[in-house]
Amino acid sequence: QVHLVESGGSSVQAGGSLKLSCEASGETSSITCMVWFRQAPGKDREAVAGFNNNGHANYGDSMKGRFTVSKDQSKNTLYLQINNLQPEDSAMYYCAARQCVWCPGGCPLDASQQHWWGQGTQVTVYS
């Protein structure tokens, strides 16, 4: 079993930055991919970015530019740097992980294909 704990969410003014963290524990050797998702009230969950054990990052539609995903393998921690935050970035940000036997082209960014989920960390951006 894998346990994921997100942190770093906050209420920030538009234009500011945040760095979210997701620490994995348990059977971390099972993890091949880790992915950030977000979900705003009344909206579908959308993929932000994924990072696999080969160091490959891939991003959801329209997520390139202000979002940067990275991982510290030694700490089993995934990060998401968000710059120039906008009110539309307000959402619960979730970390997910999965084991991939064969995942060419980076981590799957489909929520239904993830194996483990964290509880989320709230980001609120005010203008």
Side-chain angles (χ1 to χ4, degrees):
Q1 186 64 283
V2 171
H3 187 53
L4 302 172
V5 178
E6 303 95 333
S7 62
S10 181
S11 182
V12 298
Q13 190 169 23
S17 299
L18 278 177
K19 189 172 185 178
L20 307 182
S21 300
C22 171
E23 183 175 2
S25 61
E27 297 178 0
T28 56
S29 60
S30 299
I31 298 173
T32 308
C33 279
M34 295 181 74
V35 183
W36 284 104
F37 290 84
R38 69 181 186 182
Q39 188 168 20
K43 294 189 176 181
D44 292 335
R45 190 167 296 192
E46 61 179 341
V48 180
F51 199 91
N52 68 14
N53 286 356
N54 292 326
H56 178 77
N58 54 325
Y59 293 85
D61 295 340
S62 73
M63 297 299 176
K64 285 188 176 180
R66 297 188 298 113
F67 297 87
T68 303
V69 65
S70 62
K71 187 179 180 185
D72 186 333
Q73 294 280 19
S74 67
K75 296 181 179 179
N76 291 311
T77 300
L78 184 73
Y79 302 99
L80 183 68
Q81 176 72 39
I82 315 173
N83 297 325
N84 191 22
L85 279 154
Q86 301 299 311
E88 54 266 32
D89 294 321
S90 297
M92 186 71 79
Y93 283 72
Y94 296 93
C95 175
R98 66 162 290 155
Q99 184 177 45
C100 278
V101 175
W102 176 245
C103 289
C107 294
L109 299 182
D110 187 333
S112 67
Q113 295 186 42
Q114 309 307 315
H115 297 164
W116 304 287
W117 289 88
Q119 295 300 306
T121 186
Q122 178 68 41
V123 172
T124 303
V125 185
Y126 57 92
S127 55

